[in-house]
Amino acid sequence: MSAKPLAGLKVVELGTLIAGPFAARICAEFGAEVIKIESPDGGDPLRKWRKLYEGTSLWWFVQARNKRSLTLNLKHPDGLHILKELLADADILIENFRPGTLEKLGLGWDCLHELNPKLIMVRLSGFGQTGPLKNRPGFGAVGESVGGLRYITGFEDRPPVRTGISIGDSIAALWGVIGALMALRHREVGNGQGQVVDVALYEAVFAMMESMVPEFDVMGFVRERSGNIMPGITPSSIHTCADGKAVQIGANGDAIFQRLMRAMGHEQMAIDPQLADNAGRDARRDEIYALIDAWTGSLAQEQVLATLSQAEVPASRIYSVADMFSDPQFLARDMLITGQLPDGKDFKMPGIVPKLSASPGSSEWTGPALGEHTDELLTQLGYNAHDLERLRTEGVI
Protein backbone atom coordinates (compact mmCIF):
# COMPACT_ATOMS: atom_id res chain seq x y z
CA MET A 1 0.00 0.00 0.00
CA SER A 2 1.15 3.55 -0.70
CA ALA A 3 1.68 6.20 1.94
CA LYS A 4 -1.36 7.73 3.57
CA PRO A 5 -2.86 10.45 1.36
CA LEU A 6 -2.06 13.35 3.72
CA ALA A 7 1.46 12.18 4.58
CA GLY A 8 3.90 15.08 4.46
CA LEU A 9 1.35 17.67 5.51
CA LYS A 10 1.85 19.56 8.76
CA VAL A 11 -1.30 20.56 10.62
CA VAL A 12 -1.35 22.77 13.70
CA GLU A 13 -4.50 22.47 15.82
CA LEU A 14 -5.57 25.27 18.11
CA GLY A 15 -9.01 23.82 18.71
CA THR A 16 -10.71 22.56 21.84
CA LEU A 17 -13.61 20.18 22.48
CA ILE A 18 -15.28 18.97 19.30
CA ALA A 19 -15.37 20.74 15.93
CA GLY A 20 -11.72 21.74 15.49
CA PRO A 21 -10.24 18.63 17.12
CA PHE A 22 -12.50 16.31 15.10
CA ALA A 23 -11.37 17.97 11.86
CA ALA A 24 -7.74 17.60 12.92
CA ARG A 25 -8.34 13.99 13.94
CA ILE A 26 -9.46 13.12 10.41
CA CYS A 27 -6.31 14.71 9.02
CA ALA A 28 -4.21 12.72 11.50
CA GLU A 29 -5.91 9.43 10.63
CA PHE A 30 -4.93 9.90 7.01
CA GLY A 31 -1.30 10.70 7.55
CA ALA A 32 -0.92 14.38 8.37
CA GLU A 33 1.43 15.35 11.17
CA VAL A 34 -0.97 16.99 13.62
CA ILE A 35 0.48 19.10 16.42
CA LYS A 36 -2.17 19.92 19.00
CA ILE A 37 -1.45 23.09 20.95
CA GLU A 38 -2.82 22.96 24.50
CA SER A 39 -2.68 25.24 27.48
CA PRO A 40 -0.27 24.00 30.16
CA ASP A 41 -3.10 24.64 32.62
CA GLY A 42 -5.19 21.49 32.04
CA GLY A 43 -5.25 21.36 28.26
CA ASP A 44 -8.32 20.61 26.16
CA PRO A 45 -11.44 20.38 28.37
CA LEU A 46 -12.43 17.26 26.42
CA ARG A 47 -9.82 15.42 28.48
CA LYS A 48 -12.36 15.51 31.34
CA TRP A 49 -15.65 15.06 29.45
CA ARG A 50 -18.06 12.15 29.87
CA LYS A 51 -16.77 8.78 31.07
CA LEU A 52 -13.27 8.91 32.60
CA TYR A 53 -10.69 6.13 32.77
CA GLU A 54 -8.15 6.79 35.50
CA GLY A 55 -8.96 10.49 35.29
CA THR A 56 -8.98 10.89 31.50
CA SER A 57 -11.93 10.87 29.12
CA LEU A 58 -12.30 7.77 26.97
CA TRP A 59 -13.53 10.14 24.28
CA TRP A 60 -10.18 11.95 24.46
CA PHE A 61 -8.23 8.82 23.56
CA VAL A 62 -10.21 8.62 20.31
CA GLN A 63 -10.54 12.32 19.45
CA ALA A 64 -6.81 12.96 19.85
CA ARG A 65 -5.47 9.77 18.29
CA ASN A 66 -2.41 10.16 16.07
CA LYS A 67 -1.84 13.71 17.39
CA ARG A 68 1.15 15.10 19.25
CA SER A 69 0.47 17.32 22.25
CA LEU A 70 2.52 20.48 22.75
CA THR A 71 1.74 22.76 25.68
CA LEU A 72 2.10 26.48 25.06
CA ASN A 73 0.99 29.48 27.07
CA LEU A 74 -0.14 31.79 24.30
CA LYS A 75 -0.42 34.68 26.75
CA HIS A 76 3.37 34.62 27.07
CA PRO A 77 5.47 36.21 24.28
CA ASP A 78 7.68 33.12 24.07
CA GLY A 79 4.62 30.93 23.65
CA LEU A 80 3.46 33.03 20.70
CA HIS A 81 6.95 32.99 19.25
CA ILE A 82 7.08 29.19 19.34
CA LEU A 83 3.65 28.95 17.74
CA LYS A 84 4.79 31.23 14.92
CA GLU A 85 7.84 29.04 14.44
CA LEU A 86 5.55 26.06 14.00
CA LEU A 87 3.25 27.90 11.64
CA ALA A 88 6.09 29.19 9.49
CA ASP A 89 6.27 25.87 7.63
CA ALA A 90 2.84 24.43 8.39
CA ASP A 91 0.32 23.55 5.71
CA ILE A 92 -2.90 23.91 7.68
CA LEU A 93 -3.96 25.70 10.84
CA ILE A 94 -7.24 24.53 12.38
CA GLU A 95 -8.81 26.76 15.02
CA ASN A 96 -12.23 27.06 16.60
CA PHE A 97 -11.92 30.10 18.85
CA ARG A 98 -14.49 32.87 18.88
CA PRO A 99 -13.76 35.28 15.99
CA GLY A 100 -11.26 37.94 17.01
CA THR A 101 -9.43 35.80 19.55
CA LEU A 102 -6.43 35.10 17.34
CA GLU A 103 -6.41 38.67 16.08
CA LYS A 104 -5.96 39.89 19.66
CA LEU A 105 -2.90 37.62 19.89
CA GLY A 106 -1.45 39.06 16.70
CA LEU A 107 -2.31 35.89 14.79
CA GLY A 108 -4.90 37.20 12.37
CA TRP A 109 -5.00 36.07 8.76
CA ASP A 110 -2.97 38.98 7.37
CA CYS A 111 -0.17 38.31 9.86
CA LEU A 112 -0.15 34.57 9.29
CA HIS A 113 -0.37 34.88 5.50
CA GLU A 114 2.66 37.16 5.55
CA LEU A 115 4.49 34.71 7.82
CA ASN A 116 3.64 31.72 5.62
CA PRO A 117 1.95 32.47 2.27
CA LYS A 118 1.14 28.79 1.66
CA LEU A 119 -0.70 28.35 4.99
CA ILE A 120 -4.36 27.32 4.86
CA MET A 121 -6.36 28.56 7.84
CA VAL A 122 -9.46 26.56 8.74
CA ARG A 123 -11.67 28.62 11.05
CA LEU A 124 -14.66 26.97 12.71
CA SER A 125 -16.99 29.15 14.76
CA GLY A 126 -20.63 29.47 15.68
CA PHE A 127 -21.54 32.15 13.16
CA GLY A 128 -18.50 32.60 10.94
CA GLN A 129 -15.95 35.37 10.69
CA THR A 130 -18.36 38.00 9.32
CA GLY A 131 -21.91 39.20 9.88
CA PRO A 132 -23.72 40.80 12.82
CA LEU A 133 -23.61 37.62 14.94
CA LYS A 134 -19.94 36.78 14.38
CA ASN A 135 -18.96 37.59 17.97
CA ARG A 136 -21.79 35.62 19.55
CA PRO A 137 -20.69 32.36 21.20
CA GLY A 138 -22.11 29.37 19.40
CA PHE A 139 -21.60 25.75 20.34
CA GLY A 140 -22.99 22.90 18.28
CA ALA A 141 -26.37 23.06 19.99
CA VAL A 142 -26.77 26.68 18.91
CA GLY A 143 -25.66 25.87 15.38
CA GLU A 144 -28.20 23.06 15.20
CA SER A 145 -30.91 25.42 16.41
CA VAL A 146 -30.12 28.33 14.09
CA GLY A 147 -29.36 26.03 11.15
CA GLY A 148 -32.82 24.44 11.24
CA LEU A 149 -32.10 20.94 12.52
CA ARG A 150 -33.56 21.28 16.01
CA TYR A 151 -36.82 22.78 14.69
CA ILE A 152 -37.65 19.70 12.62
CA THR A 153 -36.40 17.07 15.09
CA GLY A 154 -38.93 15.39 17.36
CA PHE A 155 -42.67 14.80 17.38
CA GLU A 156 -45.16 17.41 16.20
CA ASP A 157 -46.99 17.62 19.53
CA ARG A 158 -43.84 18.06 21.63
CA PRO A 159 -40.96 20.56 21.88
CA PRO A 160 -37.89 20.11 19.65
CA VAL A 161 -35.27 17.58 20.77
CA ARG A 162 -31.57 17.07 20.14
CA THR A 163 -30.22 14.18 18.12
CA GLY A 164 -28.29 12.55 20.99
CA ILE A 165 -24.79 13.61 19.89
CA SER A 166 -23.13 16.93 19.09
CA ILE A 167 -23.96 16.49 15.42
CA GLY A 168 -23.61 20.19 14.57
CA ASP A 169 -19.97 20.24 15.65
CA SER A 170 -19.21 17.05 13.75
CA ILE A 171 -20.86 18.27 10.55
CA ALA A 172 -18.88 21.51 10.80
CA ALA A 173 -15.69 19.48 11.23
CA LEU A 174 -16.43 17.55 8.04
CA TRP A 175 -17.00 20.77 6.10
CA GLY A 176 -13.74 22.08 7.55
CA VAL A 177 -11.81 19.09 6.23
CA ILE A 178 -13.55 19.31 2.85
CA GLY A 179 -12.65 23.00 2.67
CA ALA A 180 -9.04 22.31 3.63
CA LEU A 181 -8.69 19.67 0.93
CA MET A 182 -10.19 22.01 -1.68
CA ALA A 183 -7.83 24.77 -0.56
CA LEU A 184 -4.89 22.36 -0.83
CA ARG A 185 -5.95 21.50 -4.37
CA HIS A 186 -6.25 25.20 -5.23
CA ARG A 187 -2.79 25.82 -3.78
CA GLU A 188 -1.43 22.97 -5.87
CA VAL A 189 -2.87 24.04 -9.22
CA GLY A 190 -3.17 27.76 -8.58
CA ASN A 191 -0.60 30.26 -7.42
CA GLY A 192 0.73 28.28 -4.47
CA GLN A 193 -1.00 30.52 -1.96
CA GLY A 194 -3.07 29.50 1.03
CA GLN A 195 -6.47 30.88 1.95
CA VAL A 196 -9.04 31.00 4.74
CA VAL A 197 -11.66 28.26 5.07
CA ASP A 198 -14.48 29.92 7.04
CA VAL A 199 -16.96 27.38 8.47
CA ALA A 200 -19.90 28.56 10.57
CA LEU A 201 -21.59 25.85 12.62
CA TYR A 202 -25.08 27.09 11.76
CA GLU A 203 -24.22 27.11 8.04
CA ALA A 204 -22.73 23.63 8.23
CA VAL A 205 -26.07 22.39 9.58
CA PHE A 206 -28.12 24.60 7.27
CA ALA A 207 -26.36 23.07 4.25
CA MET A 208 -27.86 19.68 5.21
CA MET A 209 -31.47 20.84 5.23
CA GLU A 210 -32.41 19.22 1.93
CA SER A 211 -35.37 20.93 0.20
CA MET A 212 -36.34 23.20 3.08
CA VAL A 213 -35.38 26.50 1.43
CA PRO A 214 -36.99 26.15 -2.02
CA GLU A 215 -40.14 24.64 -0.51
CA PHE A 216 -40.60 27.72 1.63
CA ASP A 217 -39.60 30.18 -1.06
CA VAL A 218 -41.79 28.76 -3.81
CA MET A 219 -44.71 27.38 -1.80
CA GLY A 220 -44.51 29.02 1.62
CA PHE A 221 -44.18 25.57 3.13
CA VAL A 222 -42.52 25.33 6.55
CA ARG A 223 -41.25 21.85 7.35
CA GLU A 224 -42.34 20.84 10.85
CA ARG A 225 -41.50 18.04 13.24
CA SER A 226 -42.94 14.74 12.12
CA GLY A 227 -41.64 12.14 14.54
CA ASN A 228 -40.43 8.97 12.85
CA ILE A 229 -42.10 9.41 9.48
CA MET A 230 -40.82 11.37 6.50
CA PRO A 231 -43.62 13.61 5.22
CA GLY A 232 -43.82 13.44 1.47
CA ILE A 233 -41.85 10.20 1.38
CA THR A 234 -43.98 7.14 2.18
CA PRO A 235 -43.57 4.65 3.70
CA SER A 236 -40.47 5.21 5.82
CA SER A 237 -40.84 4.95 9.55
CA ILE A 238 -40.15 3.01 12.75
CA HIS A 239 -42.62 0.32 13.81
CA THR A 240 -43.02 -1.76 16.97
CA CYS A 241 -43.06 -5.55 16.84
CA ALA A 242 -44.98 -8.03 19.00
CA ASP A 243 -42.02 -8.45 21.35
CA GLY A 244 -41.80 -4.71 21.94
CA LYS A 245 -38.71 -4.27 19.77
CA ALA A 246 -38.58 -1.68 17.01
CA VAL A 247 -37.71 -1.91 13.31
CA GLN A 248 -36.99 0.80 10.77
CA ILE A 249 -38.64 0.10 7.42
CA GLY A 250 -37.85 2.15 4.34
CA ALA A 251 -40.13 1.10 1.48
CA ASN A 252 -40.61 4.42 -0.30
CA GLY A 253 -39.42 3.16 -3.69
CA ASP A 254 -42.24 2.15 -6.00
CA ALA A 255 -41.14 -1.45 -6.56
CA ILE A 256 -40.03 -1.81 -2.94
CA PHE A 257 -43.45 -0.73 -1.72
CA GLN A 258 -45.05 -3.42 -3.85
CA ARG A 259 -42.71 -6.05 -2.42
CA LEU A 260 -43.51 -4.90 1.11
CA MET A 261 -47.26 -5.13 0.57
CA ARG A 262 -46.96 -8.62 -0.92
CA ALA A 263 -44.71 -9.74 1.95
CA MET A 264 -47.41 -8.52 4.34
CA GLY A 265 -50.12 -10.32 2.40
CA HIS A 266 -51.77 -7.21 0.93
CA GLU A 267 -51.75 -7.95 -2.80
CA GLN A 268 -54.50 -5.41 -3.55
CA MET A 269 -52.39 -2.62 -2.04
CA ALA A 270 -49.45 -3.74 -4.16
CA ILE A 271 -51.40 -3.40 -7.41
CA ASP A 272 -53.54 -0.37 -6.43
CA PRO A 273 -52.83 2.27 -9.15
CA GLN A 274 -53.30 5.07 -6.61
CA LEU A 275 -50.30 3.75 -4.69
CA ALA A 276 -48.05 3.26 -7.69
CA ASP A 277 -46.02 6.39 -6.95
CA ASN A 278 -44.86 8.30 -3.92
CA ALA A 279 -47.40 11.12 -4.22
CA GLY A 280 -50.29 8.67 -4.15
CA ARG A 281 -48.85 6.77 -1.22
CA ASP A 282 -48.21 9.92 0.78
CA ALA A 283 -51.84 10.97 0.31
CA ARG A 284 -52.87 7.70 2.02
CA ARG A 285 -49.98 7.41 4.43
CA ASP A 286 -52.14 7.01 7.54
CA GLU A 287 -53.82 3.98 5.98
CA ILE A 288 -50.47 2.50 4.90
CA TYR A 289 -48.82 3.03 8.27
CA ALA A 290 -51.78 1.48 10.07
CA LEU A 291 -51.40 -1.66 7.98
CA ILE A 292 -47.65 -1.86 8.62
CA ASP A 293 -48.14 -1.27 12.36
CA ALA A 294 -50.70 -4.05 12.52
CA TRP A 295 -48.41 -6.44 10.65
CA THR A 296 -45.24 -5.77 12.67
CA GLY A 297 -47.31 -5.81 15.85
CA SER A 298 -48.32 -9.40 15.13
CA LEU A 299 -44.76 -10.75 14.75
CA ALA A 300 -41.53 -10.82 16.71
CA GLN A 301 -38.74 -8.58 15.47
CA GLU A 302 -36.66 -11.42 14.03
CA GLN A 303 -39.67 -12.70 12.06
CA VAL A 304 -40.31 -9.23 10.65
CA LEU A 305 -36.69 -8.75 9.66
CA ALA A 306 -36.42 -12.22 8.11
CA THR A 307 -39.55 -11.68 6.03
CA LEU A 308 -38.41 -8.26 4.84
CA SER A 309 -34.94 -9.53 4.03
CA GLN A 310 -36.37 -12.27 1.86
CA ALA A 311 -38.58 -9.68 0.13
CA GLU A 312 -35.59 -7.34 -0.35
CA VAL A 313 -37.21 -4.52 1.58
CA PRO A 314 -34.72 -2.21 3.39
CA ALA A 315 -35.22 -2.70 7.12
CA SER A 316 -33.23 -2.90 10.32
CA ARG A 317 -33.52 -3.11 14.04
CA ILE A 318 -32.45 0.04 15.87
CA TYR A 319 -28.87 -0.64 16.89
CA SER A 320 -27.47 0.13 20.30
CA VAL A 321 -23.73 0.17 20.78
CA ALA A 322 -24.06 -3.31 22.30
CA ASP A 323 -25.56 -4.54 19.01
CA MET A 324 -22.65 -3.08 17.07
CA PHE A 325 -20.07 -5.01 19.07
CA SER A 326 -21.41 -8.35 17.81
CA ASP A 327 -22.62 -7.34 14.38
CA PRO A 328 -20.81 -9.14 11.53
CA GLN A 329 -21.02 -6.11 9.23
CA PHE A 330 -19.25 -3.85 11.73
CA LEU A 331 -16.63 -6.54 12.33
CA ALA A 332 -16.07 -7.32 8.66
CA ARG A 333 -15.37 -3.68 7.86
CA ASP A 334 -13.09 -3.07 10.86
CA MET A 335 -15.41 -0.52 12.38
CA LEU A 336 -14.36 -1.56 15.89
CA ILE A 337 -10.58 -1.39 16.15
CA THR A 338 -8.38 -2.00 19.16
CA GLY A 339 -6.30 0.64 20.88
CA GLN A 340 -4.37 0.75 24.10
CA LEU A 341 -5.03 2.86 27.16
CA PRO A 342 -2.02 4.37 28.98
CA ASP A 343 -1.82 1.38 31.33
CA GLY A 344 -1.66 -1.05 28.41
CA LYS A 345 -5.28 -2.18 28.64
CA ASP A 346 -6.90 -2.87 25.26
CA PHE A 347 -10.09 -1.03 24.37
CA LYS A 348 -12.30 -0.66 21.34
CA MET A 349 -12.45 2.51 19.26
CA PRO A 350 -14.45 3.51 16.19
CA GLY A 351 -12.81 2.42 12.95
CA ILE A 352 -11.59 4.70 10.19
CA VAL A 353 -13.97 6.40 7.75
CA PRO A 354 -13.85 6.53 4.75
CA LYS A 355 -12.27 3.34 3.45
CA LEU A 356 -9.57 4.02 0.86
CA SER A 357 -8.48 1.02 -1.19
CA ALA A 358 -4.88 2.11 -1.88
CA SER A 359 -3.95 4.46 0.95
CA PRO A 360 -6.21 3.82 3.94
CA GLY A 361 -6.09 5.73 7.18
CA SER A 362 -5.31 4.15 10.51
CA SER A 363 -4.97 4.77 14.23
CA GLU A 364 -1.30 4.65 15.23
CA TRP A 365 -1.63 5.77 18.85
CA THR A 366 -4.34 7.06 21.14
CA GLY A 367 -4.76 10.54 22.57
CA PRO A 368 -1.51 11.66 24.23
CA ALA A 369 -0.87 12.86 27.75
CA LEU A 370 -0.90 16.63 28.19
CA GLY A 371 2.32 17.98 26.71
CA GLU A 372 3.62 14.50 25.98
CA HIS A 373 5.50 15.65 22.88
CA THR A 374 6.54 19.11 24.05
CA ASP A 375 10.24 18.33 24.53
CA GLU A 376 10.43 16.37 21.30
CA LEU A 377 8.81 19.08 19.21
CA LEU A 378 10.77 21.95 20.71
CA THR A 379 14.01 20.04 20.31
CA GLN A 380 13.17 19.68 16.62
CA LEU A 381 12.82 23.47 16.52
CA GLY A 382 16.32 23.85 17.94
CA TYR A 383 15.64 24.35 21.64
CA ASN A 384 18.13 22.71 24.02
CA ALA A 385 17.71 21.33 27.54
CA HIS A 386 18.56 24.69 29.11
CA ASP A 387 15.93 26.41 26.94
CA LEU A 388 13.29 23.86 27.93
CA GLU A 389 14.04 24.30 31.62
CA ARG A 390 13.73 28.06 31.29
CA LEU A 391 10.44 27.80 29.38
CA ARG A 392 9.01 25.55 32.07
CA THR A 393 10.19 27.83 34.85
CA GLU A 394 8.55 30.81 33.18
CA GLY A 395 5.28 28.93 32.58
CA VAL A 396 5.56 29.00 28.80
CA ILE A 397 5.22 25.22 28.44
Side-chain angles (χ1 to χ4, degrees):
M1 290 190 179
S2 60
K4 292 182 183 180
L6 301 186
L9 293 178
K10 180 178 177 180
V11 177
V12 175
E13 179 201 314
L14 288 175
T16 59
L17 299 176
I18 305 176
F22 186 29
R25 165 189 153 187
I26 296 170
C27 295
E29 290 170 346
F30 287 91
E33 176 193 11
V34 175
I35 301 171
K36 181 175 178 65
I37 308 300
E38 297 188 81
S39 167
D41 184 21
D44 191 331
L46 191 74
R47 289 177 174 274
K48 300 296 181 182
W49 273 29
R50 296 193 61 80
K51 300 296 184 182
L52 306 185
Y53 182 83
E54 296 186 349
T56 300
S57 168
L58 288 167
W59 189 359
W60 165 260
F61 293 121
V62 176
Q63 189 81 315
R65 61 189 180 189
N66 293 8
K67 301 179 186 180
R68 295 198 285 173
S69 172
L70 168 64
T71 54
L72 285 181
N73 178 2
L74 298 183
K75 297 179 181 179
H76 193 289
D78 285 351
L80 284 175
H81 176 74
I82 293 170
L83 177 57
K84 288 181 179 180
E85 287 185 281
L86 289 169
L87 292 173
D89 67 347
D91 294 285
I92 302 171
L93 167 64
I94 298 176
E95 65 96 4
N96 64 346
F97 295 126
R98 192 184 302 188
T101 300
L102 290 186
E103 282 75 7
K104 291 177 182 177
L105 294 172
L107 297 173
W109 170 244
D110 291 342
C111 173
L112 293 179
H113 187 60
E114 182 178 355
L115 173 70
N116 178 1
K118 73 172 186 177
L119 181 69
I120 293 163
M121 189 179 192
V122 178
R123 315 197 73 172
L124 300 114
S125 62
F127 295 94
Q129 303 298 313
T130 60
L133 299 183
K134 67 178 183 179
N135 294 320
R136 181 181 292 185
F139 285 161
V142 174
E144 293 163 28
S145 299
V146 178
L149 179 61
R150 293 285 178 106
Y151 186 85
I152 62 171
T153 304
F155 288 86
E156 58 188 355
D157 58 343
R158 305 175 204 174
V161 298
R162 69 188 299 268
T163 60
I165 58 171
S166 302
I167 191 69
D169 288 292
S170 299
I171 292 173
L174 295 176
W175 283 120
V177 173
I178 292 169
L181 295 177
M182 289 190 287
L184 284 168
R185 176 60 176 163
H186 178 265
R187 191 180 77 178
E188 177 186 349
V189 301
N191 58 7
Q193 300 284 299
Q195 61 182 295
V196 176
V197 177
D198 180 3
V199 179
L201 266 67
Y202 85 95
E203 291 169 356
V205 172
F206 178 70
M208 312 302 290
M209 290 295 101
E210 300 178 347
S211 59
M212 184 178 73
V213 167
E215 288 174 351
F216 176 74
D217 185 50
V218 176
M219 300 180 176
F221 175 79
V222 177
R223 187 179 299 192
E224 300 286 348
R225 292 180 292 284
S226 58
N228 291 324
I229 71 169
M230 297 176 65
I233 303 174
T234 302
S236 180
S237 188
I238 295 175
H239 305 271
T240 303
C241 302
D243 52 10
K245 299 178 181 179
V247 293
Q248 169 71 52
I249 301 175
N252 42 290
D254 297 345
I256 299 173
F257 172 75
Q258 293 172 12
R259 294 200 297 271
L260 171 63
M261 290 297 105
R262 290 191 171 101
M264 292 169 47
H266 293 288
E267 176 66 25
Q268 290 304 310
M269 297 288 283
I271 62 175
D272 189 331
Q274 291 185 358
L275 304 178
D277 60 23
N278 185 68
R281 291 191 296 273
D282 196 56
R284 293 169 59 182
R285 68 179 184 221
D286 290 346
E287 175 189 357
I288 292 171
Y289 283 131
L291 287 175
I292 300 174
D293 283 336
W295 179 68
T296 60
S298 68
L299 300 170
Q301 182 192 67
E302 289 305 318
Q303 293 174 284
V304 171
L305 291 174
T307 301
L308 296 180
S309 176
Q310 185 174 7
E312 297 186 342
V313 173
S316 174
R317 66 182 186 274
I318 310 300
Y319 277 52
S320 71
V321 67
D323 296 321
M324 298 170 190
F325 265 60
S326 60
D327 185 81
Q329 182 69 19
F330 276 77
L331 300 177
R333 289 181 58 82
D334 293 323
M335 286 314 300
L336 295 167
I337 60 178
T338 301
Q340 281 196 328
L341 294 166
D343 62 2
K345 177 181 175 62
D346 287 347
F347 79 115
K348 294 297 184 184
M349 301 185 294
I352 306 297
V353 179
K355 309 294 186 190
L356 300 187
S357 62
S359 54
S362 66
S363 176
E364 304 298 332
W365 65 87
T366 54
L370 180 62
E372 180 176 333
H373 303 97
T374 296
D375 288 6
E376 173 189 343
L377 289 165
L378 294 185
T379 299
Q380 291 174 2
L381 289 175
Y383 290 80
N384 59 35
H386 176 74
D387 297 328
L388 297 177
E389 182 180 357
R390 178 185 65 80
L391 292 171
R392 282 197 170 84
T393 301
E394 295 181 7
V396 179
I397 59 176

